[in-house]
Structure formats: C-alpha cells, structure tokens
Amino acid sequence: IMIGGMTTHLLAPVTYAKLPYDPVKDFSVVGRIGTSAIVMLATPDFPANNLKEFVALAKSRPEPTQYGSWGMGSTGHFCGEILAQKAGLKLQHVPFNGTNKLVTDMMGGHIQLGLVDMATGTPFVKEGKLKALGVCTQRSPSLPDVASYKEQGIDFDQLLSWVMYAPAGVPKPILAKVTDALQASLKEKEVIDKMLALGITADFLPGEQQAAINARDIQIWKKVAMDANIKTD
C-alpha cells in the first residue's frame, strides 16, 4: 500500500521519458484520500497582491518574470506553466532543491516569487513574512481567504489529488476491505486535522472513480507539459 500524489502518478508519466513503473498497469487504486493546493508566494515588497495585479505587472515587463518551484517537473512548476499559458505571460522557471531552499532564498531577497505546497507556505503567510497571490488550482482551507486560479480569471481548476494505491492484482475482496477502512478513517477528526496540517483536505472517492479521473487527467497534464516543453531524462 502506498500514498501517491500528483508527481508519482500524473506528472511523472508526462515528464519522464522512462519510468521504472507503469503508473496505471502496476497499481490498483484504493481510493482518493484528499485534495491539496499549491500556493503562489511573493515577497512583501513585490508590487502585486493578487493574480490579476501580477498578470498586469508581468505583461508590462519586457523580460520574463522569474518564479521558483521545488524542482523541474514538480507540481509547483506545472502550476507556474499553467498560469503562463492561460494568462499569456512570459515566465521563467527557476528550479530549487526543495521548498525550504526556495523559501529561504525568497526571504533573503534572491527571488521574489515561488510556488510551494500549502504546508510549507501557510506559516509564512500567516506570520506576514511572505504574501499569497493565489492558489493553484482550487481554494484551500489552509488559507481560506486566498482566491483560486479560477476565481482570479485563470481558466484551470483540476483537482490536485492524493490517492491510496495497492499493487496491481490484489484480490477484489481484500481491496474492498482496505477501501472501506480508508473511507472510515477519513471521517475521523484526528485524521482530518492531521491531514489539514499537511495541507491536504480529506475527501474520499472510490477507487474506480479515481482511476477514471487519473486516466483523464494524465492527458490534461500531458498537454500542459507539451506546450511548456517540460521534459526530464
């Protein structure tokens, strides 16, 4: 049994030429455990306070605006490219070795914009050390006052899901028991609170439904990758 996020089962297949696993054939989908968001952070002195202002600012600049993420092909990288594509912006991606390094460099004034996971970004926003311009792709209870891409005119609202997987070929009765246990656990307040602390909103969906969503979403993210020329050896 494993928990997979966007990178392992949706983004890796569209960015890596070769993978040591098949994200569809090698796994059975137990069910979705929840959804999460990516927050676009800016330094306090950045001359935009939301995505509408940022889009206007980026379009007024002759040179591409830099933004950081925690690596090439990361969910943060994809969220930046979606923004560039949907708003018609010239953005330059700067990959960092992890979210901590990115946030540290933002605090040090080395880069003004970054896309990070909610668990990393939320404390800095709440403490006023960095500001949030928007969330990719849907509003998060971690920062409920920060509007989503869609709410700010960026026409993209695919869910960023966390999913429980089992090895392919697990007998259906066993898979059903695990699914039932997962669904029950996601109703427990302690589990819900712990997940929210990680930036994940508990939101169960049965395996068959999630598997169908995965198959559809791979094609959507593949187009984003192709248009942005996101490739990793």
Side-chain angles (χ1 to χ4, degrees):
I1 300 293
M2 67 167 285
I3 303 297
M6 286 286 298
T7 303
T8 57
H9 282 75
L10 295 183
L11 302 186
V14 305
T15 55
Y16 287 86
K18 295 181 181 179
L19 285 176
Y21 62 92
D22 186 310
V24 176
K25 295 180 180 178
D26 292 346
F27 299 90
S28 297
V29 182
V30 178
R32 183 173 71 199
I33 67 168
T35 60
S36 62
I38 303 298
V39 59
M40 186 174 196
L41 299 178
T43 53
D45 61 343
F46 188 71
N49 295 303
N50 53 51
L51 290 184
K52 184 177 180 180
E53 292 178 4
F54 170 67
V55 169
L57 176 68
K59 286 185 174 180
S60 72
R61 293 175 165 177
E63 299 297 323
T65 300
Q66 289 189 335
Y67 75 93
S69 84
W70 63 95
M72 181 71 69
S74 66
T75 314
H77 182 193
F78 270 82
C79 284
E81 293 306 322
I82 289 163
L83 181 59
Q85 291 172 18
K86 295 295 183 179
L89 305 180
K90 291 182 292 184
L91 303 181
Q92 180 183 1
H93 175 239
V94 181
F96 282 76
N97 185 22
T99 54
N100 289 336
K101 173 62 175 171
L102 170 55
V103 172
T104 298
D105 274 26
M106 290 184 70
M107 301 282 285
H110 302 295
I111 189 167
Q112 290 187 296
L113 290 169
L115 284 148
V116 302
D117 60 280
M118 297 304 301
T120 298
T122 298
F124 290 95
V125 175
K126 288 185 174 180
E127 292 168 12
K129 295 178 179 178
L130 296 170
K131 59 184 177 182
L133 305 188
V135 290
C136 170
T137 60
Q138 299 190 348
R139 194 180 288 243
S140 169
S142 297
L143 292 172
D145 296 331
V146 182
S148 69
Y149 270 25
K150 186 81 169 182
E151 292 171 309
Q152 299 194 66
I154 306 302
D155 189 20
F156 195 88
D157 62 352
Q158 293 298 118
L159 286 173
L160 308 182
S161 300
W162 291 87
V163 181
M164 181 177 285
Y165 296 93
V170 171
K172 287 187 177 181
I174 295 177
L175 197 62
K177 285 185 177 181
V178 177
T179 301
D180 289 344
L182 172 63
Q183 185 174 12
S185 68
L186 292 175
K187 295 177 182 178
E188 297 176 8
K189 187 179 184 302
E190 183 179 0
V191 173
I192 293 171
D193 291 345
K194 284 184 177 180
M195 288 176 59
L196 189 58
L198 297 172
I200 303 171
T201 304
D203 186 13
F204 175 78
L205 196 68
E208 288 186 3
Q209 292 182 42
Q210 185 60 45
I213 290 172
N214 283 0
R216 181 197 69 200
D217 284 0
I218 284 177
Q219 300 307 313
I220 292 171
W221 292 106
K222 182 180 291 185
K223 185 178 187 308
V224 175
M226 290 177 62
D227 291 347
N229 196 30
I230 300 174
K231 294 179 181 179
T232 306
D233 295 331

